[in-house]
Amino acid sequence: MKAMGRLLAASGMGLALAAAVLPAAAQDAGMKQWTRGKGWGWVWGPQDEVGALNEMTDASRAAALRLATQGKSYDLGLPYDRNSYRWPGHNPGEIISFRTPEGVARQRDLPFTTAENGNGSHTRWHSSAMFISDNVATQIDGLGHITVGEDNHWYNGFKEGDWGGNFGIRKADVTTIPPIIARGVLIDVAGQKNMEALPAGYEITVADLEAALRAQNVDVTPGTVVLIRTGTARYWGESGADHAKISGPDSAGIGLAAAKWLVEQKGALMLASDTSGLEVGPPRPQDSAAVGGSFNPVHVYLLVQQGVHIGEFHNLERLAADRVYEFAYVATTNAIRGTVAGTALRPLALR
Amino acid sequence: MKAMGRLLAASGMGLALAAAVLPAAAQDAGMKQWTRGKGWGWVWGPQDEVGALNEMTDASRAAALRLATQGKSYDLGLPYDRNSYRWPGHNPGEIISFRTPEGVARQRDLPFTTAENGNGSHTRWHSSAMFISDNVATQIDGLGHITVGEDNHWYNGFKEGDWGGNFGIRKADVTTIPPIIARGVLIDVAGQKNMEALPAGYEITVADLEAALRAQNVDVTPGTVVLIRTGTARYWGESGADHAKISGPDSAGIGLAAAKWLVEQKGALMLASDTSGLEVGPPRPQDSAAVGGSFNPVHVYLLVQQGVHIGEFHNLERLAADRVYEFAYVATTNAIRGTVAGTALRPLALR
Amino acid sequence: MKAMGRLLAASGMGLALAAAVLPAAAQDAGMKQWTRGKGWGWVWGPQDEVGALNEMTDASRAAALRLATQGKSYDLGLPYDRNSYRWPGHNPGEIISFRTPEGVARQRDLPFTTAENGNGSHTRWHSSAMFISDNVATQIDGLGHITVGEDNHWYNGFKEGDWGGNFGIRKADVTTIPPIIARGVLIDVAGQKNMEALPAGYEITVADLEAALRAQNVDVTPGTVVLIRTGTARYWGESGADHAKISGPDSAGIGLAAAKWLVEQKGALMLASDTSGLEVGPPRPQDSAAVGGSFNPVHVYLLVQQGVHIGEFHNLERLAADRVYEFAYVATTNAIRGTVAGTALRPLALR
Amino acid sequence: MKAMGRLLAASGMGLALAAAVLPAAAQDAGMKQWTRGKGWGWVWGPQDEVGALNEMTDASRAAALRLATQGKSYDLGLPYDRNSYRWPGHNPGEIISFRTPEGVARQRDLPFTTAENGNGSHTRWHSSAMFISDNVATQIDGLGHITVGEDNHWYNGFKEGDWGGNFGIRKADVTTIPPIIARGVLIDVAGQKNMEALPAGYEITVADLEAALRAQNVDVTPGTVVLIRTGTARYWGESGADHAKISGPDSAGIGLAAAKWLVEQKGALMLASDTSGLEVGPPRPQDSAAVGGSFNPVHVYLLVQQGVHIGEFHNLERLAADRVYEFAYVATTNAIRGTVAGTALRPLALR
């Protein structure tokens, strides 16, 4: 079926027909810089801040959107509040009632809010002040998140000494992540294993991914956003407050072998999962060694070396329950300069 | 053409065909609670926190997405930083480098980051701490943003005494705004008037909207997200730092008459513009009087009375330049409990 | 010796001589509103925001300062950082490098900092942004901290409905706490019991206080700031990071009986200890009942009913080690409007 | 009188007597490292973080405190709130009602606060969350505030590459500033000139200081904290909200000549004024050149080169009104690790 799709697309048949019948076909062709067996790397020119997402084109977006035939929308965001589980290296946060109707009335610091000044309806408002990390809840890690080397460089060789700053980073910050609109594929590893969630520290292997894809009868074609399910998000609940429950499966994830297979053999455009860090923790010694010694070698490989963005804490529970394995993935980050990750996002899977 | 679309859809032809030829057709039919001449109101039951967006269905979403035939993606977000223009009632903010590679190395508070502990690659990272308002840059106002009355109630009668709190509001917060996927229409008022931007304090009238729609040869059908262009966003630049330039046209906007026409006569699902507040400021006396005296009567009308969300600071410049007047509007807010507005968003217009 | 001091002072001898020989004498006389057996209460007029600290006069301050004959200065502050133990009801915090010399150089957003503009010396600077609670580390609770009643009133009947606001409280905030300069007395309960620190949940009784005072050969005279030592601060270390160690003795403290004895029988001007909350936790049932049911009845009694400030997390270790039981207590809070407690303070004991 | 005091002290008379009669005498003798014509510098050993304040001894503190014969306490702090004037290079701030009695009641997230759980008195509380700079309102600049050189070093050669970090600085932070207890002298330059406040950009000269000291009949002796009055604080009002009024005289201050005279000829232990930056702005070209080119040469000279702390925004209005020119200066900073300046302080002048 997939093979036929490729054939039909190549044969020049009209896009409309191909899309209706063979939605995944268009992504197989036309990668600009991806090389099987190598992936990407710093191939987009010395000023590039976008990485693999440069592969997106009008054609690839249109093809992805054609997967959304039913108008079904799956919200992949996990709601965040002050009690939510987060990686302990990130700052805690508070969402605080800033202006409240009673406070506005009592403070009387804004003349236009008083009845004497025409506000007979007692119009007032709520707003919130947030102190928050750019790395909480449902995230997309930007290419400037991780650095390596004594020169502290990130993707494409941007160095701290050149592009750091007081207000976040000045190259490859989150505003450079384009809206992501691509074919998405769920790989339900926990589902394939008939588990609620993977055990703590479980390394997802290439074999696991292949088995799940086979069971789901879907494939990762070049340009696909891959969402890998460990089952962790089922313990998030209202706000991720049960840290003990979450922290176990949260350490399950892919190792370097699976990451390389997805990027270099399959052309995955972006990798995401339902955990805080995508990769298995602690890292396997050979994975750490492969990047020169690191506590998160998959991050180094994807973000720094390949220019592939990472999605974290994506809620994949409803997709899995509905057995939706192929869809249009649509995600936008916030547009906040200097920040390194889209935070508390709500990516969509459209079917 | 529109009429024929309606006819064809009604005749039961296959969706695939109808979508290809007549993308906007589906929205005309099937509103659940909207009444011409009345709009919505508190019609969705006493527990409802969603308002007019309840009108969205799989069918309406599918129809909207069928407008995105070319795979073109317009990012409607305006980038925010510490210097960005904002409504002075909201708190200032800072985006601050929290963890930096040099700082991690010097602080030495995390053993796993040292070379002695296996981090030979010097893997380190950037993260940012943000102190930020939930009402900055490109926003979608939630239904709990504005309150009226001595009991400080918002949409659907939720009262501060019942549903306020320390950590934001507990009814109709931003997490209750569903992903918005609907037909979008740009009404380029500044363009129709051949102006760079509308003058300060200019009230956009029903006649202005009708003239622009006529010139654009497009209509607002029930269930459409309406984006009204004043031209203000052209002065935003890199980060909205030129407050003097922005603040003039930022006060142009619709009055109550135009808001009512769009909601009650045309069935607009949501109203947005490229200014900080959508409505003309200061409000016209009759508009203020119509809601009992208020400094922002259109907000009161839309958010509290009608349950219609408001989009603010949407960047409509590229849409206008490309004369794209009809598209799929796709927007998700952050998933941060208690907050009252999606902030620093990047809504999409897909074509 | 004490008695003789009183005699001499009363006899009209010159202050200079009296001070040199008999430092504590002056406080015994001249309380303005304190009544033995009753203490204070709302006795300072309906607008008062100061409470018992109104007792301070030039004479009482001069007498207190005369205790500082040796020029010895004891810093009673505990250093705070992001890891410090705090009452879990208060917000977490971060102290973040905001401007750094490297960041200023890289950001290049301030022309006057570049060499081209005359800054050949590369003058740059550090500053910090803090997100912090007003109730951390060494504190003095203001009279607006605690409220009771359905009308949420605090000391002197100030009601939330009248004097609340968005930016903290508008009556009896921390700026109304005058500089505190008074005779201070340490009551070393842990020392008298020969314990490193009192056990978790230990209630300090009147008998404990009397025994310690007797052993120390010092008395609480009206107008004295009383510092009660449990030994908790010895576990604070560099920054209060050992929460497990601190949290045990931190729950030791006085019950209502001891608080009343100190205020009503002895005229204590302010009560402080080396714990996060001064009072024993959880409260004894009879103490809770005595104020109508409360989780911190001693706070209610002192702050709301008596108008007596509470000092918390005072580091009393060096005073105890040096057996300094009588001294001049000098403390100023920050001058931040709306806040309810001096935070991360460094009160002094001068000897 | 001063001269006689010096004589008596030198003659070896007992401290108690000398102190009673001649309070300022002790400071003239016994400086440890100060050299006339040179001041201090990096003279306290390679690990020193304290600088000139190392000069304080029990004797000097005792002598200073003996100036406080009348028990008069002058609060030198300026109250800070969200509207207060600050140097634009520092982050804005908000003081926000965090926990409020109504919020606690409505949020219902803390079981112990409900009546069902024994809280029949409705005990609740206020607390505030602050987002604040460590450089606002009444400050004492620490020795790590200013850096110079390509190696970004501060006082005593501490380099950013060694002692920077994510959570503020790790050498000479504010916690290393000891409680400051020293003889204080007000030099009322504005008063001597019979001006409300000095003009914008006025450079205070050595002659100005000498004239004012002569008129006041007081001298700066080695070890004295010098407070220089421009009159700026009279425009602070309730909270420093009138930026236009403040910003004029705020730029008046000393140049390098006056700073050197005070430190090198007179042995001033610390220099403070009632402005945001002590020194005249913009700097005089010769002052800038003297430190290699700098926008604040007096800061470089005092903090980096001499190890002399700087006091800013001290409220000197009441001292001037009462013509109190000599007093005990007592100031403590907050104990917040990593911060570089005591902020929103309330130093005291005791008389």
Side-chain angles (χ1 to χ4, degrees):
Chain A
M1 168 84 163
K2 299 276 161 194
M4 194 172 82
R6 197 170 299 136
L7 200 70
L8 282 169
S11 73
M13 288 180 60
L15 263 178
L17 178 57
V21 187
L22 307 155
Q27 281 97 344
D28 277 325
M31 300 297 277
K32 300 178 209 166
Q33 291 284 354
W34 179 73
T35 308
R36 193 176 303 268
K38 174 175 169 295
W40 290 277
W42 302 356
V43 296
W44 303 98
Q47 295 308 315
D48 179 63
E49 309 175 53
V50 177
L53 292 176
N54 279 304
E55 293 286 1
M56 291 189 296
T57 62
D58 285 359
S60 74
R61 278 186 288 262
L65 290 168
R66 280 193 297 271
L67 292 166
T69 52
Q70 306 166 32
K72 286 212 146 117
S73 160
Y74 292 85
D75 179 351
L76 308 185
L78 291 171
Y80 172 81
D81 74 13
R82 64 198 304 264
N83 298 311
S84 299
Y85 180 86
R86 61 189 160 77
W87 188 61
H90 298 316
N91 63 283
E94 295 286 355
I95 291 92
I96 315 172
S97 299
F98 179 71
R99 284 291 197 174
T100 61
E102 292 163 338
V104 168
R106 292 166 187 165
Q107 199 83 35
R108 295 183 69 83
D109 60 330
L110 298 169
F112 64 87
T113 62
T114 62
E116 307 90 274
N117 287 305
N119 187 25
S121 71
H122 306 287
T123 299
R124 294 190 276 255
W125 70 95
H126 295 107
S127 67
S128 307
M130 299 185 261
F131 180 75
I132 191 168
S133 168
D134 64 353
N135 275 269
V136 288
T138 305
Q139 302 152 61
I140 295 175
D141 281 354
L143 299 184
H145 184 31
I146 297 290
T147 63
V148 292
E150 297 195 39
D151 64 354
N152 299 305
H153 70 266
W154 57 97
Y155 168 74
N156 221 1
F158 297 119
K159 292 186 187 65
E160 186 69 7
D162 296 326
W163 299 108
N166 290 141
F167 311 123
I169 54 175
R170 290 156 54 245
K171 279 285 181 186
D173 74 358
V174 87
T175 68
T176 67
I177 304 180
I180 306 172
I181 302 169
R183 178 184 182 245
V185 160
L186 170 69
I187 308 183
D188 184 1
V189 179
Q192 197 272 333
K193 291 181 181 294
N194 252 317
M195 288 172 153
E196 268 207 3
L198 299 181
Y202 180 82
E203 178 182 352
I204 297 171
T205 64
V206 174
D208 289 335
L209 299 175
E210 288 183 310
L213 286 168
R214 211 159 35 234
Q216 296 172 189
N217 195 26
V218 70
D219 200 7
V220 174
T221 51
T224 299
V225 171
V226 173
L227 311 185
I228 301 169
R229 181 172 174 268
T230 67
T232 303
R234 75 161 54 210
Y235 304 123
W236 190 270
E238 286 295 296
S239 64
D242 190 344
H243 297 197
K245 208 76 181 278
I246 295 166
S247 61
D250 186 57
S251 60
I254 58 173
L256 202 51
K260 279 171 170 280
W261 181 75
L262 285 166
V263 170
E264 298 177 21
Q265 300 303 322
K266 309 300 285 185
L269 188 67
M270 173 177 141
L271 303 189
S273 81
D274 50 4
T275 67
S276 68
L278 176 68
E279 64 182 289
V280 62
R284 298 303 172 252
Q286 68 275 22
D287 289 1
S288 173
V291 299
S294 174
F295 53 86
N296 59 2
V298 175
H299 274 66
V300 171
Y301 169 73
L302 292 173
L303 296 177
V304 184
Q305 297 179 354
Q306 285 285 352
V308 170
H309 291 78
I310 297 176
E312 293 168 342
F313 271 144
H314 279 48
N315 184 359
L316 308 175
E317 295 309 294
R318 286 206 306 130
L319 284 178
D322 287 4
R323 297 174 186 277
V324 173
Y325 301 123
E326 189 187 25
F327 41 84
Y329 177 85
V330 177
T332 58
T333 66
N334 297 103
I336 303 178
R337 286 201 190 282
T339 62
V340 302
T343 190
L345 301 178
R346 296 211 266 177
L348 298 176
L350 303 178
R351 195 53 177 120
Chain B
M1 170 84 165
K2 297 274 162 198
M4 194 173 81
R6 196 171 298 138
L7 201 68
L8 281 170
S11 73
M13 287 181 61
L15 262 180
L17 178 57
V21 189
L22 307 155
Q27 281 96 345
D28 277 324
M31 299 297 278
K32 301 178 209 165
Q33 292 283 353
W34 179 72
T35 309
R36 193 176 303 267
K38 174 175 170 294
W40 291 277
W42 302 356
V43 296
W44 303 98
Q47 294 309 314
D48 179 63
E49 308 176 54
V50 176
L53 293 176
N54 280 304
E55 292 287 359
M56 291 188 296
T57 61
D58 285 359
S60 74
R61 277 184 290 260
L65 290 168
R66 279 193 298 272
L67 292 165
T69 52
Q70 306 166 32
K72 287 212 146 117
S73 160
Y74 292 86
D75 179 351
L76 309 184
L78 292 171
Y80 172 82
D81 74 13
R82 65 199 302 265
N83 299 311
S84 299
Y85 180 86
R86 61 190 162 74
W87 187 62
H90 299 316
N91 63 285
E94 294 285 355
I95 290 92
I96 316 172
S97 299
F98 179 70
R99 284 291 197 176
T100 61
E102 292 163 338
V104 168
R106 293 166 186 164
Q107 199 83 35
R108 295 183 68 84
D109 61 329
L110 299 169
F112 65 87
T113 62
T114 62
E116 306 90 272
N117 287 305
N119 187 26
S121 70
H122 305 287
T123 299
R124 294 191 276 256
W125 70 95
H126 295 108
S127 66
S128 307
M130 298 185 262
F131 180 74
I132 193 169
S133 168
D134 64 353
N135 274 270
V136 288
T138 305
Q139 303 152 58
I140 296 176
D141 282 353
L143 300 183
H145 184 31
I146 297 290
T147 63
V148 292
E150 296 195 38
D151 64 354
N152 298 306
H153 69 267
W154 56 99
Y155 168 74
N156 221 1
F158 298 118
K159 291 185 188 66
E160 185 69 9
D162 296 326
W163 298 108
N166 289 142
F167 311 123
I169 54 174
R170 290 156 54 246
K171 280 286 181 187
D173 74 359
V174 87
T175 68
T176 67
I177 304 180
I180 306 173
I181 302 169
R183 176 182 182 248
V185 160
L186 170 69
I187 308 183
D188 184 1
V189 179
Q192 198 272 333
K193 291 180 181 293
N194 253 317
M195 287 172 155
E196 268 207 3
L198 299 181
Y202 180 82
E203 178 183 354
I204 297 171
T205 64
V206 173
D208 290 335
L209 299 175
E210 288 183 310
L213 286 167
R214 208 158 37 233
Q216 298 172 186
N217 195 28
V218 69
D219 201 8
V220 174
T221 51
T224 299
V225 171
V226 174
L227 311 184
I228 301 168
R229 181 172 173 270
T230 67
T232 303
R234 75 161 54 210
Y235 303 123
W236 189 269
E238 286 296 295
S239 63
D242 190 344
H243 298 197
K245 208 78 181 277
I246 295 167
S247 62
D250 186 57
S251 61
I254 59 173
L256 203 52
K260 279 173 170 281
W261 180 76
L262 285 166
V263 170
E264 297 177 22
Q265 300 302 322
K266 310 298 286 185
L269 188 66
M270 171 176 142
L271 303 190
S273 81
D274 50 4
T275 67
S276 68
L278 175 67
E279 65 183 288
V280 62
R284 299 299 172 255
Q286 69 276 23
D287 289 1
S288 173
V291 300
S294 175
F295 53 86
N296 59 3
V298 175
H299 274 66
V300 171
Y301 169 73
L302 291 174
L303 296 177
V304 183
Q305 296 178 356
Q306 285 285 352
V308 170
H309 291 77
I310 297 176
E312 293 167 341
F313 270 143
H314 279 49
N315 184 359
L316 307 176
E317 294 308 294
R318 286 206 307 128
L319 284 179
D322 287 3
R323 298 175 183 276
V324 173
Y325 301 124
E326 189 187 26
F327 41 82
Y329 177 85
V330 176
T332 57
T333 66
N334 296 104
I336 302 178
R337 285 201 190 284
T339 62
V340 302
T343 189
L345 300 178
R346 297 211 266 177
L348 299 176
L350 303 177
R351 196 55 176 112
Chain C
M1 169 85 164
K2 298 273 163 199
M4 194 172 82
R6 199 171 298 137
L7 200 69
L8 282 169
S11 73
M13 288 179 62
L15 263 179
L17 176 59
V21 189
L22 307 155
Q27 281 95 343
D28 277 324
M31 299 298 278
K32 301 179 209 166
Q33 291 284 353
W34 179 73
T35 309
R36 194 174 302 267
K38 172 175 170 294
W40 291 277
W42 301 357
V43 296
W44 302 97
Q47 295 309 313
D48 179 63
E49 308 176 54
V50 176
L53 293 176
N54 280 303
E55 293 286 0
M56 290 188 298
T57 61
D58 285 358
S60 74
R61 277 186 289 261
L65 290 169
R66 279 192 298 271
L67 291 166
T69 52
Q70 306 166 31
K72 286 213 146 117
S73 160
Y74 292 86
D75 179 350
L76 308 184
L78 291 170
Y80 172 81
D81 74 13
R82 64 199 302 265
N83 299 311
S84 299
Y85 180 86
R86 59 190 163 75
W87 188 61
H90 298 316
N91 63 285
E94 295 286 356
I95 290 92
I96 316 171
S97 299
F98 179 70
R99 285 289 197 175
T100 61
E102 292 163 340
V104 168
R106 293 166 187 164
Q107 199 84 33
R108 295 183 68 84
D109 61 329
L110 298 169
F112 65 86
T113 62
T114 63
E116 306 92 273
N117 287 306
N119 186 26
S121 70
H122 306 286
T123 299
R124 295 190 276 257
W125 69 95
H126 295 108
S127 66
S128 307
M130 299 185 262
F131 180 74
I132 192 168
S133 169
D134 63 353
N135 275 270
V136 288
T138 304
Q139 303 152 58
I140 295 175
D141 282 353
L143 299 184
H145 184 30
I146 297 290
T147 63
V148 292
E150 297 195 39
D151 64 354
N152 299 306
H153 70 267
W154 56 99
Y155 168 74
N156 221 0
F158 298 118
K159 291 186 187 66
E160 185 69 9
D162 297 326
W163 298 108
N166 289 142
F167 311 123
I169 55 174
R170 289 156 55 247
K171 280 285 181 187
D173 74 359
V174 86
T175 68
T176 67
I177 303 180
I180 306 173
I181 301 170
R183 177 183 182 248
V185 160
L186 169 69
I187 308 183
D188 184 1
V189 179
Q192 196 273 331
K193 290 181 182 294
N194 251 317
M195 287 172 155
E196 268 208 3
L198 298 181
Y202 179 83
E203 179 184 353
I204 297 170
T205 63
V206 173
D208 290 335
L209 299 175
E210 288 183 309
L213 286 168
R214 209 159 36 233
Q216 298 172 186
N217 195 28
V218 70
D219 200 8
V220 174
T221 50
T224 300
V225 170
V226 173
L227 311 185
I228 301 169
R229 182 172 173 268
T230 67
T232 303
R234 73 160 55 209
Y235 304 123
W236 190 269
E238 286 296 296
S239 64
D242 190 344
H243 297 197
K245 208 78 182 277
I246 296 167
S247 62
D250 186 58
S251 61
I254 59 174
L256 203 52
K260 280 172 169 281
W261 181 75
L262 285 166
V263 170
E264 298 177 21
Q265 299 303 321
K266 309 298 286 184
L269 187 68
M270 172 177 142
L271 303 190
S273 80
D274 51 4
T275 68
S276 69
L278 175 69
E279 65 182 288
V280 63
R284 300 299 172 256
Q286 69 275 23
D287 289 0
S288 173
V291 300
S294 174
F295 53 87
N296 58 3
V298 174
H299 274 66
V300 171
Y301 168 73
L302 291 174
L303 296 176
V304 184
Q305 296 179 355
Q306 285 285 352
V308 169
H309 291 77
I310 296 176
E312 293 167 342
F313 271 143
H314 280 46
N315 184 359
L316 308 176
E317 295 308 294
R318 286 206 307 130
L319 283 179
D322 287 3
R323 299 175 183 277
V324 173
Y325 300 124
E326 188 186 27
F327 40 83
Y329 177 85
V330 176
T332 58
T333 66
N334 296 103
I336 303 178
R337 285 201 190 285
T339 61
V340 303
T343 190
L345 301 178
R346 297 211 266 177
L348 298 176
L350 303 178
R351 194 58 176 113
Chain D
M1 166 84 164
K2 298 274 161 198
M4 193 172 83
R6 197 171 298 138
L7 199 71
L8 282 169
S11 73
M13 288 180 61
L15 261 178
L17 177 57
V21 187
L22 309 153
Q27 280 97 345
D28 277 325
M31 299 298 277
K32 301 178 209 167
Q33 292 284 353
W34 180 73
T35 309
R36 193 175 304 266
K38 175 177 169 292
W40 290 278
W42 302 356
V43 296
W44 303 98
Q47 296 307 316
D48 179 62
E49 308 176 55
V50 177
L53 293 176
N54 279 304
E55 293 287 0
M56 291 189 297
T57 61
D58 285 359
S60 74
R61 279 186 288 261
L65 289 168
R66 280 193 297 273
L67 292 166
T69 51
Q70 307 167 30
K72 285 212 148 118
S73 161
Y74 291 86
D75 179 351
L76 308 184
L78 291 170
Y80 173 81
D81 75 13
R82 65 199 302 265
N83 298 312
S84 299
Y85 180 86
R86 61 189 161 76
W87 188 61
H90 299 315
N91 63 284
E94 294 285 356
I95 290 93
I96 316 171
S97 300
F98 179 70
R99 285 292 197 173
T100 61
E102 292 163 339
V104 168
R106 292 165 187 165
Q107 199 83 34
R108 295 184 68 84
D109 61 329
L110 298 169
F112 65 86
T113 62
T114 62
E116 307 90 274
N117 286 305
N119 187 24
S121 70
H122 306 287
T123 299
R124 293 190 278 255
W125 70 95
H126 296 106
S127 67
S128 307
M130 299 185 262
F131 180 74
I132 192 168
S133 169
D134 64 352
N135 275 270
V136 289
T138 305
Q139 303 152 59
I140 295 176
D141 282 354
L143 299 183
H145 184 31
I146 297 291
T147 62
V148 292
E150 296 194 39
D151 64 354
N152 299 305
H153 69 266
W154 56 97
Y155 168 74
N156 220 1
F158 298 119
K159 292 187 186 63
E160 185 69 8
D162 296 325
W163 298 108
N166 290 141
F167 311 123
I169 54 174
R170 290 157 52 246
K171 279 286 180 187
D173 75 358
V174 86
T175 68
T176 66
I177 304 180
I180 306 173
I181 301 170
R183 177 182 182 247
V185 160
L186 169 69
I187 308 182
D188 184 1
V189 179
Q192 197 273 332
K193 291 180 181 295
N194 252 317
M195 288 172 154
E196 267 208 2
L198 299 181
Y202 180 81
E203 179 184 352
I204 297 171
T205 64
V206 174
D208 289 335
L209 299 176
E210 288 183 309
L213 286 168
R214 211 160 33 234
Q216 297 171 188
N217 195 27
V218 71
D219 200 7
V220 174
T221 50
T224 299
V225 171
V226 173
L227 311 185
I228 301 168
R229 182 171 173 269
T230 68
T232 303
R234 75 160 54 210
Y235 303 124
W236 190 269
E238 286 296 296
S239 63
D242 190 344
H243 298 198
K245 208 76 180 280
I246 295 167
S247 61
D250 185 57
S251 61
I254 59 173
L256 203 51
K260 278 170 170 281
W261 181 76
L262 285 166
V263 170
E264 298 177 21
Q265 300 303 322
K266 310 299 285 185
L269 188 68
M270 173 177 142
L271 304 189
S273 80
D274 51 3
T275 68
S276 68
L278 175 69
E279 64 183 289
V280 62
R284 298 303 172 253
Q286 68 275 22
D287 289 0
S288 173
V291 298
S294 174
F295 53 87
N296 58 2
V298 174
H299 274 65
V300 171
Y301 169 73
L302 291 174
L303 296 176
V304 183
Q305 296 179 354
Q306 285 285 352
V308 169
H309 291 78
I310 297 176
E312 293 168 343
F313 271 144
H314 279 49
N315 184 359
L316 307 175
E317 295 309 294
R318 285 207 306 130
L319 284 178
D322 287 3
R323 298 175 186 276
V324 173
Y325 300 124
E326 188 187 26
F327 40 83
Y329 177 84
V330 177
T332 58
T333 66
N334 297 104
I336 303 177
R337 286 201 189 282
T339 60
V340 303
T343 190
L345 301 178
R346 297 210 265 178
L348 298 176
L350 304 178
R351 195 53 176 121

